[in-house]
Amino acid sequence: MSSLPSLQNPDSLSFLKQRQAAEIDEALMGPLGFSVDQLMASFELAGLSVATSIAEVYKPTEYGRVLAICGPGNNGGDGLVAARHLYHFGYKPFVCYPKHTPKPLYTGLVTQLESLQVPFLSIEDLPLDLSEDFDILVDAMFGFSFHGAPRPPFDDLIQRLVCLHSYDQTPQKRPVIVSIDIPSGWHVEEGDIGGEVIKPDMLVSLTAPKLCAKKFCGPHHFLGGRFVPPSIADKYKLRLPPYPGTSMCVRIGKPPQVDISTLRENYISPEFLEEQVESDPIDQFQKWFDDAMAAGLREPNAMALSTAGKDGKPSSRMVLLKGVDKDGFVWYTNYESQKARELSENPCASLLFYWEGLNRQMSVVRVEGSVQKVSNEESEQYFHSRPRGSQIGAIVSKQSSVVPGRHVLYQQYKELEEKFSDGSIIPKPAHWGGYRLKPKLFEFWQGQQSRLHDRLQYSPQEIDGKLVWKIKRLAP
């Protein structure tokens, strides 16, 4: 599912007729002074929009093999640019471009792809059944200016996509189809009037969606082409959604509803064997933590802290690990918070680390043990190592207490910010400090195929007066 916000109500969006779409293109390349060279920039933005839309939904680890089927016109240029960006995004693109356009803009795109060693496949090179060799098929054959019936070889290519796709098939049985601006073979304004037509899984509309997009029934509709100036939007009364941040695409409509019971991953990981792990679980933790850091995962020190008070009711929240050594795991918090109250009543807790995106796909370390406060000196040292804004925030936040509104917190923050604006030392509040969990049990979990996951448990034993860790494998 997309991480982007979406325009929930497509009815509030402008849809273009064919004539309007052509006029807007002419206006961009005429009165507004867009040159032929800048037309290349339009290709670049459109192709980048297509590539980023694909990346929002289809991960390269699962949908890596992409075939871009490119026509001789502007849509074909968009497809060539999208293939280049997809290569840099980690996909393995292939290009079928049966009618090369001799214009320099297009030959330059071909040269760029060839420099990346992206394979160009002829019609004869393509298998009759595209479902075995590709995960994504990019339909970049015809755009809104196309008239008449498709001629060879595109009529055959369209028919192959038509035969591939039926909505009663599961996605695992076929590649997904992504159409650029107009599903090839559709009427620009009336949609799929021809009966047997391409039914794409994703439509990436450019500039503004064309009228035929109202007939699109697939799960993913995106808008791309972030280059419409206000004068054009005003002239044609275009109602377009805002693009979030620096994104080149925005979702139109709600994301598809998902049956949660069908969500599953089949993890592919290297073997995690007893004879290969570190004898000390802290060393093994550090090894996996270093892997998470090297993989560039966001906040790899985030951990779920689970506690329970004297009533036995458990509660969990995310906190940040701020230290680890042979004595245990350290984090800092408000001593008057709910978790602090529960730890005072029951000084036992559990930590859970979740790291996604490694070669092992997912790794979890569960640590259980007793908890005690760190020394005030240690808390002071860490408190003053934090940014001054975080120090002030710790004073303002009476964690877990009820506040009448955010404005109260903001006002208190501004008052303290002004008070310490001279750079004087901000005193650590007495209600703030650290905890250290001394581990008594470790469990390292690594996902494997068919639910045959690895679970290695470390438990302490005393042998000849020395603490050693016994390693046991648990059933998944």
Side-chain angles (χ1 to χ4, degrees):
M1 293 178 66
S2 171
S3 60
L4 290 176
S6 65
L7 180 71
Q8 296 292 318
N9 182 14
D11 292 336
S12 65
L13 188 68
S14 294
F15 288 78
L16 299 180
K17 294 182 178 180
Q18 185 177 37
R19 177 183 55 79
Q20 292 171 315
E23 287 179 0
I24 290 174
D25 265 16
E26 289 175 7
L28 287 171
M29 290 179 282
L32 286 174
F34 279 73
S35 66
V36 173
D37 287 341
Q38 286 174 305
L39 174 62
M40 183 64 225
S42 142
F43 279 165
E44 192 67 30
L45 293 174
L48 178 58
S49 299
V50 173
T52 53
S53 297
I54 290 172
E56 278 294 316
V57 176
Y58 303 112
K59 297 179 182 178
T61 52
E62 300 171 26
Y63 294 87
R65 303 167 302 169
V66 181
L67 174 64
I69 306 175
C70 301
N74 289 353
N75 255 39
D78 297 339
L80 294 172
V81 173
R84 190 182 78 239
H85 285 294
L86 289 170
Y87 171 87
H88 291 298
F89 291 174
Y91 296 82
K92 185 178 181 182
F94 299 80
V95 175
C96 178
Y97 188 32
K99 296 285 186 180
H100 280 229
T101 304
K103 295 178 181 179
L105 289 175
Y106 294 84
T107 57
L109 294 175
V110 171
T111 300
Q112 293 159 20
L113 287 165
E114 289 175 339
S115 71
L116 298 175
Q117 298 183 331
V118 172
F120 278 75
L121 306 179
S122 67
I123 298 291
E124 293 73 27
D125 293 331
L126 292 178
L128 289 176
D129 181 0
L130 300 174
S131 62
E132 293 295 327
D133 293 15
F134 306 106
D135 305 306
I136 300 175
L137 301 173
V138 178
D139 162 27
M141 289 179 272
F142 301 123
F144 65 80
S145 60
F146 180 78
H147 295 277
R151 295 188 296 272
F154 296 105
D155 55 348
D156 175 64
L157 289 168
I158 290 174
Q159 193 56 41
R160 292 197 204 187
L161 298 189
V162 171
C163 292
L164 261 180
H165 195 104
S166 172
Y167 282 121
D168 59 0
Q169 288 180 289
T170 59
Q172 288 77 16
K173 294 181 180 178
R174 55 160 178 81
V176 296
I177 299 173
V178 177
S179 287
I180 299 179
D181 210 25
I182 305 290
S184 295
W186 283 32
H187 189 282
V188 179
E189 296 179 3
E190 299 179 34
D192 54 347
I193 58 175
E196 290 295 314
V197 293
I198 297 173
K199 293 186 174 71
D201 302 86
M202 173 184 284
L203 175 63
V204 184
S205 294
L206 298 174
T207 306
K210 314 311 178 282
L211 274 176
C212 68
K214 290 190 173 184
K215 302 289 183 68
F216 172 67
C217 297
H220 306 291
H221 188 187
F222 282 81
L223 177 65
R226 192 176 184 173
F227 48 75
V228 180
S231 59
I232 292 291
D234 293 342
K235 179 179 179 180
Y236 292 93
K237 296 181 174 57
L238 297 182
R239 299 186 306 276
L240 301 175
Y243 286 81
T246 59
S247 178
M248 292 302 300
C249 60
V250 59
R251 181 184 283 275
I252 299 174
K254 296 180 180 180
Q257 295 297 309
V258 176
D259 181 357
I260 295 177
S261 68
T262 65
L263 294 177
R264 58 179 52 85
E265 292 281 346
N266 193 27
Y267 305 106
I268 301 175
S269 309
E271 290 183 331
F272 186 52
L273 302 176
E274 292 87 334
E275 59 268 22
Q276 296 173 348
V277 301
E278 301 293 332
S279 59
D280 190 308
I282 294 288
D283 294 334
Q284 182 62 42
F285 169 84
Q286 191 64 58
K287 189 174 181 179
W288 273 20
F289 186 83
D290 291 345
D291 288 344
M293 287 290 296
L297 301 186
R298 186 180 180 188
E299 291 193 322
N301 60 329
M303 58 186 185
L305 167 65
S306 297
T307 57
K310 60 184 178 183
D311 59 4
K313 294 180 180 179
S315 60
S316 299
R317 77 287 293 160
M318 299 302 295
V319 297
L320 295 178
L321 176 71
K322 290 300 179 180
V324 59
D325 55 27
K326 298 299 182 184
D327 292 324
F329 296 77
V330 175
W331 68 93
Y332 293 86
T333 189
N334 188 308
Y335 285 153
E336 297 174 354
S337 64
Q338 177 184 342
K339 54 183 169 293
R341 291 195 299 270
E342 291 177 348
L343 286 170
S344 68
E345 296 171 359
N346 177 11
C348 296
S350 176
L351 305 176
L352 179 68
F353 294 83
Y354 173 86
W355 297 312
E356 185 187 16
L358 301 174
N359 289 336
R360 60 177 63 97
Q361 296 297 311
M362 183 171 72
S363 306
V364 174
V365 178
R366 181 164 60 86
V367 186
E368 298 176 359
S370 57
V371 179
Q372 60 184 17
K373 292 180 179 179
V374 304
S375 67
N376 191 61
E377 292 75 20
E378 191 173 344
S379 292
E380 282 274 3
Q381 183 178 7
Y382 175 71
F383 181 81
H384 291 298
S385 74
R386 308 172 87 204
R388 289 179 67 84
S390 297
Q391 295 179 41
I392 294 174
I395 300 173
V396 169
S397 175
K398 307 299 188 287
Q399 205 172 79
S400 301
S401 64
V402 177
V403 292
R406 182 172 180 81
H407 65 282
V408 175
L409 297 174
Y410 184 75
Q411 181 61 35
Q412 292 175 355
Y413 182 93
K414 296 300 290 184
E415 291 173 359
L416 286 173
E417 189 177 43
E418 178 64 26
K419 178 179 179 181
F420 296 109
S421 61
D422 59 356
S424 59
I425 294 177
I426 302 172
K428 181 187 80 65
H431 61 256
W432 191 94
Y435 285 102
R436 176 177 282 104
L437 181 145
K438 188 172 182 59
K440 296 181 179 178
L441 182 76
F442 284 81
E443 182 183 316
F444 292 81
W445 185 100
Q446 181 169 274
Q448 296 289 5
Q449 294 189 62
S450 302
R451 288 200 76 259
L452 298 180
H453 311 310
D454 291 313
R455 289 178 64 190
L456 295 187
Q457 185 187 84
Y458 287 73
S459 55
Q461 286 189 334
E462 188 173 316
I463 299 179
D464 298 331
K466 295 179 62 177
L467 177 69
V468 296
W469 291 93
K470 183 178 181 181
I471 302 173
K472 296 183 290 188
R473 177 173 291 270
L474 304 180

